[in-house]
């Protein structure tokens, strides 16, 4: 029997279609462009390049594929090292392993939760001392918040190491007015189903280097040489985006600004309602940056709040609400047990603290106000109940 007392599930971040997607999909069917190329792919690439303010973009099957291509284009190979933010999803670093290279992880700093320039400088100094600079630095913009791009770019320039901006979570964000994804030699976006705009699955590689993006398209289509027969001189991949999915992407990009506004409104309401509770602090927004607030993230001081991150996640799950811990830092992953890691402070690891205390709340732009009230009330109850219990004791 169906349990009718179960409340509607509230997801962390679910796809939000505009309605216009069908128009571009139908056009693909009408013209029989059912392939990993076609007019939707071409237009989506042009639209993303224009939106990001870069010269060229290549639509691919995922954000992970875009990172893999960027690293390949920078010549990363076996025995090389690549610096990477530690506080991120595993997909930022997996492509380093695909190429047989080794990651070195860099801690976060507290103002953006992103790569610490201080830790990056330590890592560069150490690498220079050992006579082995990294081939690239992958900088992540967590949950939509831009990293400290001025400081990080200056360091990368100083050591002449190219930056890849992992903007998988930050399309629509800006740093000093400049769009996310446009910093560094390459930028990458993800259109996974949980992102602020989606193609169900997909990604984009962007750059001002037009020749490099042409080369990316070549690598993404099995690196087929220009010969009358099938000839291949390099390792290639099957990484292009389908013309049908690019149709979804075109319609989604048309509503990106609305989606950003909706997510920012959700963040602001959470902040208004919850920041006065004991021990709660919201992810900051650095001056002169504009975050798409892909996910609302906050930290909980267990001693002050009386509840831990896992208490909150369990309490919300009991109400059929999905919440998640902040990404587990990559240097703490069993996969990267023996990998080098540089901290922000002398000993202080900011990413470990954020992981221990951080939680992401449901943030989908299609959330109704009542859904958000459910989340807020549930959190208030969980924290207040604990407070009352503590007072009684
Ligand atoms: C920071 C970050 N980098 C890379 C990716 C990889 O993107 P995709 O899932 O499209 O491969 C994601 C998301 O999934 C991500 O959150």
């Amino acid at each position: 029997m169906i349990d009718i007392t179960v409340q509607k599930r509230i997801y962390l971040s679910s796809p939000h279609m505009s309605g216009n997607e069908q128009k571009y999909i139908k056009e693909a069917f009408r013209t029989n462009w059912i392939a990993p190329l076609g007019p939707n792919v071409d237009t989506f690439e042009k639209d993303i390049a224009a939106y990001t303010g870069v010269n060229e973009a290549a639509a691919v099957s995922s954000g992970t594929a875009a990172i893999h291509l960027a690293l390949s284009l920078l010549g990363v190979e076996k025995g090389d090292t690549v610096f990477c933010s530690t506080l991120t999803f595993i997909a930022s670093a997996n492509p380093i392993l695909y190429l047989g290279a080794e990651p070195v992880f860099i801690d976060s700093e507290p103002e953006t939760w992103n790569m610490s320039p201080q830790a990056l400088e330590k890592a560069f100094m150490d690498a220079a001392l050992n006579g082995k600079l990294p081939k690239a630095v992958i900088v992540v913009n967590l949950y939509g918040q831009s990293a400290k791009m001025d400081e990080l770019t200056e360091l990368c320039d100083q050591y002449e190491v190219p930056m890849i901006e992992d903007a998988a979570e930050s399309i629509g964000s800006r740093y000093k007015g400049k769009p996310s994804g446009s910093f560094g030699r390459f930028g990458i976006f993800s259109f996974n189903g949980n992102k602020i705009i989606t193609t169900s699955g997909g990604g984009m590689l962007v750059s001002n280097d037009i020749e490099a993006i042409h080369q990316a398209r070549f690598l993404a289509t099995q690196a087929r040489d220009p010969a009358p027969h099938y000839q291949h001189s390099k390792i290639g991949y099957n990484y292009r985006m389908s013309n049908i999915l690019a149709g979804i992407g075109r319609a989604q990009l048309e509503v990106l600004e609305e989606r950003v506004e909706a997510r920012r409104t959700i963040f602001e309401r959470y902040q208004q309602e919850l920041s006065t509770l004991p021990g709660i602090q919201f992810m900051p927004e650095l001056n002169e940056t504009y975050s798409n607030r892909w996910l609302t993230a906050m930290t909980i001081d267990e001693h002050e709040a009386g509840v831990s991150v896992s208490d909150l996640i369990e309490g919300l799950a009991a109400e059929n609400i999905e919440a998640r811990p902040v990404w587990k830092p990559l240097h703490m992953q069993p996969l990267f047990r023996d990998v080098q890691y540089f901290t922000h402070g002398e000993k202080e690891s900011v990413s470990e603290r954020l992981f221990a205390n951080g939680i992401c709340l449901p943030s989908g732009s299609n959330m109704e106000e009542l859904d958000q009230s459910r989340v807020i009330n549930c959190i208030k109850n969980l924290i207040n109940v604990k407070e009352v219990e503590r007072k009684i004791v």
Side-chain angles (χ1 to χ4, degrees):
M1 233 173 54
I2 298 169
D3 182 2
I4 52 164
T5 59
V6 172
Q7 297 199 72
K8 183 182 106 184
R9 179 136 179 92
I10 300 177
Y11 291 98
L12 193 70
S13 176
S14 67
H16 186 182
M17 295 295 108
S18 70
N20 236 2
E21 292 79 10
Q22 292 292 343
K23 183 176 87 183
Y24 298 115
I25 294 171
K26 272 191 190 141
E27 186 61 11
F29 273 76
R30 194 186 64 76
T31 53
N32 207 28
W33 278 106
I34 315 293
L37 76 168
N40 280 337
V41 174
D42 296 346
T43 310
F44 189 35
E45 288 180 342
K46 284 199 180 75
D47 290 351
I48 287 279
Y51 180 83
T52 315
V54 297
N55 289 336
E56 197 78 26
V60 289
S61 51
S62 67
T64 312
I67 298 172
H68 190 187
L69 290 170
L71 291 170
S72 303
L73 290 164
L74 293 173
V76 173
E77 55 189 18
K78 197 170 183 333
D80 287 335
T81 53
V82 174
F83 290 177
C84 182
S85 304
T86 193
L87 193 59
T88 182
F89 181 47
I90 189 85
S92 301
N94 266 338
I96 303 170
L97 302 186
Y98 301 166
L99 292 163
E102 243 194 67
V104 171
F105 291 117
I106 314 292
D107 198 8
S108 302
E109 47 77 21
E111 286 178 318
T112 65
W113 296 18
N114 286 308
M115 188 180 280
S116 151
Q118 217 169 291
L120 178 64
E121 185 164 32
K122 279 198 271 180
F124 267 134
M125 280 163 65
D126 184 77
L129 212 64
N130 292 316
K132 190 177 174 187
L133 286 173
K135 274 276 179 73
V137 179
I138 301 174
V139 177
V140 178
N141 300 316
L142 206 65
Y143 306 131
Q145 170 59 53
S146 291
K148 291 188 170 174
M149 283 302 168
D150 280 351
E151 293 87 337
L152 297 172
T153 305
E154 197 181 317
L155 281 166
C156 289
D157 288 349
Q158 186 189 330
Y159 286 90
E160 296 180 355
V161 176
M163 180 198 288
I164 297 170
E165 189 186 4
D166 181 345
E169 302 174 4
S170 62
I171 191 165
S173 303
R174 290 192 290 277
Y175 176 91
K176 298 192 174 172
K178 201 167 158 354
S180 217
S182 65
F183 296 82
R185 187 81 60 86
F186 293 101
I188 76 99
F189 297 118
S190 166
F191 307 116
N192 195 298
N194 62 3
K195 295 295 183 291
I196 190 160
I197 58 168
T198 181
T199 58
S200 78
M204 193 74 74
L205 179 68
V206 302
S207 180
N208 282 323
D209 184 344
I210 296 172
E211 187 40 49
I213 295 295
H214 289 172
Q215 190 65 16
R217 292 200 189 101
F218 165 74
L219 293 176
T221 46
Q222 306 290 15
R224 185 175 165 192
D225 292 337
H229 45 271
Y230 286 93
Q231 180 164 300
H232 306 268
S233 320
K234 276 188 164 179
I235 298 180
Y237 313 96
N238 183 4
Y239 274 173
R240 284 294 262 163
M241 180 184 278
S242 149
N243 191 57
I244 298 178
L245 301 191
I248 303 178
R250 284 179 69 184
Q252 288 273 285
L253 188 58
E254 288 167 359
V255 293
L256 175 58
E257 295 301 311
E258 278 171 46
R259 300 294 186 253
V260 172
E261 271 174 41
R263 297 226 182 206
R264 287 182 64 87
T265 304
I266 287 168
F267 178 93
E268 277 155 25
R269 175 139 184 250
Y270 279 133
Q271 192 173 38
Q272 226 168 29
E273 297 273 358
L274 301 175
S275 59
T276 48
L277 292 174
I280 298 281
Q281 273 194 320
F282 281 81
M283 185 180 191
E285 187 175 45
L286 190 69
N287 274 347
E288 295 185 85
T289 66
Y290 180 81
S291 170
N292 70 9
R293 294 291 191 197
W294 170 51
L295 294 184
T296 291
M298 61 182 202
T299 55
I300 307 155
D301 182 324
E302 192 180 338
H303 298 294
E304 283 183 40
V307 291
S308 65
V309 168
S310 43
D311 292 335
L312 270 196
I313 291 177
E314 277 168 31
L316 288 161
E319 301 274 333
N320 214 11
I321 298 167
E322 183 185 26
R324 295 266 177 95
V326 160
W327 301 123
K328 179 172 180 174
L330 297 186
H331 72 275
M332 295 171 77
Q333 300 287 351
L335 177 66
F336 297 120
R337 213 177 353 249
D338 301 321
V339 162
Q340 244 192 325
Y341 169 54
F342 289 88
T343 52
H344 173 67
E346 189 78 6
K347 287 213 178 77
E348 187 206 5
S349 171
V350 173
S351 64
E352 287 177 29
R353 180 172 55 75
L354 292 170
F355 170 58
N357 304 323
I359 180 171
C360 298
L361 301 179
S363 309
S365 49
N366 50 3
M367 258 177 97
E368 287 167 18
E369 247 177 68
L370 271 176
D371 296 336
Q372 207 186 355
S373 304
R374 255 178 71 196
V375 180
I376 290 166
N377 291 335
C378 182
I379 294 173
K380 281 183 177 169
N381 282 341
L382 288 164
I383 292 181
N384 288 336
V385 166
K386 286 286 175 186
E387 216 182 9
V388 171
E389 275 175 13
R390 275 189 300 168
K391 279 185 186 148
I392 291 168
V393 170

